[in-house]
Amino acid sequence: MSFKVINFFMSKSFKTFLKHTAKDFHNQSVNPPVVRASTIIFKSMQHIRKTQAKAIKNPTGGHYDYGRQGTSTTHILQKILTKLEESYHVFTTPTGFGAVFLSIFSVTRPGDEILVADPVYSPTRLLTQDYLKEFNIKTSFYNPSDLKTLDKKITKKTKLIFVENPGSNSFEFQDLGKIISIAKKYKILTAIDNTWATPYYFKPIKFGFDMSIVSATKYYSGHSDVMGGSLAVNKKVFKKVRAAERITGLRLGPDDAYLITRGLRTLDVRLDRHRENAKKVAEFLSRNKKFKLLYPYKKNSHNFRMWKKYYSGASGLMGLKIKSKNIKSVRKFVNSLKLFGYGYSWGGFESLVLHQEYRETGNRKYLDLTKDEHLVRLHIGLEDPNDLIADIKQALRHLK
Ligand SMILES: Cc1ncc(COP(=O)(O)O)c(C=O)c1O
């Protein structure tokens, strides 16, 4: 299908762009079709050669000769995300974790070292700390709240600084400007897992990161029924990531690409509402002395200052650090919530809760948590915030 019939409406406002882009005038459909293909069919041998020559000349132009490279459906999603990220290109992967893997695999080789934020998503920790060790790639973890020691951890072998902001479950906000300036000084590549904010609230590539990961499973798709990932890159790392993408065969399927594109139409509307709802719930939670709220809400805190410095908004994911010797009461609090479903993931339209016991936080070095403290993660969904507050209120009676 020719892309000339798909309109990539450009507008100064990203909100308008999302509503009007990718209309399909060939099929006269507001949304582009799902093109499923393993074989990409050509009229002749000359036609395939011509397409391959175009792909060499313009590697981000959507010229494919085999379905593993994508179809017009994935290309449309990539084009929209490239605009949202203000990046050179965006690769799409079957899961968010696939994008994490692709970023690291693309730029590290045996003998290299990487520096990783201590509070990364736990599978990212397992990948870097344990699995990469088997390939002679060494990982050191840095304290997200004290970057004074970051310089000291850099060696001649350090190739990559991998950031996740805020920290997984503990929500530390890092001084991203400082990380970028250290990385530039030592000529080290940088990657960030930006799933919490998405480029709607913070644009890592424009800021100076080389790679930016978003789990599309979360806010991009927004309806808790799709898995996918995106890896935005600058020009410097594009070729390396493209080679790694080809060799690993990490490609998002067209049906999932379609659903993520559909989700993106309302990304701004949903995230604006998640932010408003989360702010109301945070206001309520911040008054309670039974726990510490882990969300950029308290104006004089380090985390608030770091968030305010770099982000234009906050999403719906927050944490509570509960101090209690009575674990049963913490469980009862979580189990008594009626509007918060219990389960992994987040970023869908609905509210969710997750309880992490001390032992489940793994072997993080810099986690500010004692044995009597518990982490509870709340995803604030799109329900009426007054209902969510009433639900939390009734469940809190059980917390001792
Ligand atoms: C911050 C973060 N990054 C990456 C991932 C992985 O994404 P996926 O579940 O799409 O593989 C998750 C999943 O929960 C996450 O929370």
Side-chain angles (χ1 to χ4, degrees):
M1 189 182 54
S2 159
F3 287 110
K4 288 202 182 89
V5 296
I6 301 281
N7 125 301
F8 278 101
F9 175 84
M10 291 299 169
S11 150
K12 274 199 177 149
S13 162
F14 199 78
K15 289 172 187 253
T16 307
F17 167 76
L18 285 178
K19 311 300 172 290
H20 284 270
T21 196
K23 288 176 184 165
D24 176 5
F25 289 102
H26 177 73
N27 294 301
Q28 296 183 289
S29 161
V30 167
N31 288 303
V34 181
V35 177
R36 301 182 187 89
S38 50
T39 298
I40 309 276
I41 201 85
F42 292 89
K43 289 181 203 126
S44 63
M45 207 181 105
Q46 286 86 340
H47 188 194
I48 202 169
R49 293 281 176 256
K50 243 183 169 170
T51 303
Q52 286 164 340
K54 278 187 195 163
I56 290 168
K57 233 176 142 182
N58 180 12
T60 63
H63 305 289
Y64 307 122
D65 63 14
Y66 185 46
R68 199 166 61 225
Q69 296 158 13
T71 68
S72 62
T73 313
T74 36
H75 181 62
I76 287 162
L77 172 60
Q78 287 173 292
K79 276 195 82 164
I80 295 171
L81 290 178
T82 302
K83 175 128 171 71
L84 176 58
E85 291 272 10
E86 296 188 35
S87 61
Y88 181 71
H89 187 61
V90 170
F91 296 89
T92 51
T93 50
T95 63
F97 193 60
V100 170
F101 175 80
L102 186 59
S103 69
I104 298 171
F105 181 79
S106 300
V107 298
T108 53
R109 294 294 176 267
D112 288 346
E113 293 180 8
I114 56 178
L115 259 173
V116 176
D118 192 52
V120 281
Y121 175 54
S122 58
T124 306
R125 186 166 189 114
L126 291 180
L127 167 68
T128 50
Q129 173 186 273
D130 301 335
Y131 195 73
L132 290 183
K133 205 156 65 179
E134 293 180 30
F135 296 86
N136 192 25
I137 296 169
K138 193 182 145 207
T139 301
S140 319
F141 293 93
Y142 70 85
N143 184 346
S145 310
D146 179 15
L147 298 180
K148 285 198 278 310
T149 55
L150 192 63
D151 273 86
K152 295 191 184 86
K153 289 181 182 276
I154 293 170
T155 74
K156 280 193 177 126
K157 294 178 179 173
T158 309
K159 278 282 151 61
L160 175 70
I161 301 178
F162 189 100
V163 181
E164 180 175 323
N165 211 43
S168 186
N169 294 316
S170 43
F171 297 91
E172 302 90 342
F173 281 84
Q174 302 171 48
D175 192 339
L176 300 176
K178 201 161 184 184
I179 293 172
I180 292 296
S181 66
I182 291 172
K184 292 221 153 89
K185 182 173 158 198
Y186 292 96
K187 296 191 170 51
I188 296 166
L189 293 172
T190 47
I192 181 168
D193 186 329
N194 190 36
T195 302
W196 181 84
T198 83
Y200 184 60
Y201 289 140
F202 174 64
K203 294 188 192 298
I205 303 295
K206 206 174 152 196
F207 187 75
F209 280 91
D210 297 295
M211 295 179 276
S212 171
I213 296 127
V214 174
S215 164
T217 310
K218 316 290 192 272
Y219 290 116
Y220 280 179
S221 61
H223 291 75
S224 308
D225 53 1
V226 193
M227 297 210 68
S230 79
L231 174 59
V233 297
N234 62 15
K235 200 169 178 186
K236 188 160 85 186
V237 297
F238 169 74
K239 277 193 180 155
K240 281 189 172 178
V241 180
R242 185 163 177 264
E245 185 221 27
R246 288 283 161 95
I247 216 75
T248 53
L250 279 169
R251 176 178 85 85
L252 182 69
D255 289 278
D256 293 334
Y258 175 85
L259 286 171
I260 294 165
T261 302
R262 195 169 75 161
L264 285 174
R265 297 275 192 211
T266 55
L267 178 74
D268 55 312
V269 183
R270 287 183 287 106
L271 272 173
D272 285 347
R273 183 58 72 86
H274 281 292
R275 186 193 61 213
E276 280 167 30
N277 283 4
K279 199 173 169 203
K280 282 184 185 152
V281 174
E283 201 172 285
F284 165 73
L285 291 171
S286 68
R287 284 185 246 124
N288 198 308
K289 298 270 177 314
K290 285 182 182 165
F291 43 73
K292 184 178 170 198
L293 174 65
L294 307 173
Y295 193 67
Y297 184 76
K298 245 181 137 182
K299 290 206 166 55
N300 52 3
S301 66
H302 170 80
N303 280 340
F304 182 86
R305 275 187 280 112
M306 287 301 113
W307 165 75
K308 186 89 186 146
K309 196 167 172 188
Y310 301 113
Y311 291 78
S312 64
S315 72
L317 196 70
M318 60 176 65
L320 302 176
K321 188 160 95 172
I322 301 171
K323 197 170 176 68
S324 168
K325 286 199 162 109
N326 189 339
I327 175 80
K328 279 189 185 153
S329 84
V330 180
R331 287 190 192 131
K332 195 137 193 224
F333 158 59
V334 167
N335 289 336
S336 305
L337 289 164
K338 294 187 173 68
L339 294 176
F340 290 76
Y342 197 91
Y344 291 112
S345 203
W346 44 282
F349 52 84
E350 83 288 21
S351 291
L352 290 169
V353 62
L354 203 63
H355 173 221
Q356 275 216 316
E357 289 183 22
Y358 181 82
R359 61 183 169 79
E360 289 174 306
T361 53
N363 47 359
R364 283 170 52 170
K365 271 193 202 151
Y366 305 104
L367 180 64
D368 178 22
L369 196 76
T370 64
K371 285 211 163 78
D372 289 335
E373 288 175 324
H374 313 264
L375 290 176
V376 169
R377 191 178 79 181
L378 295 175
H379 178 247
I380 307 303
L382 303 177
E383 300 91 342
D384 184 328
N386 295 323
D387 289 340
L388 296 177
I389 290 168
D391 191 28
I392 297 170
K393 226 181 219 171
Q394 66 79 23
L396 275 175
R397 286 176 301 139
H398 300 289
L399 195 57
K400 303 220 162 58

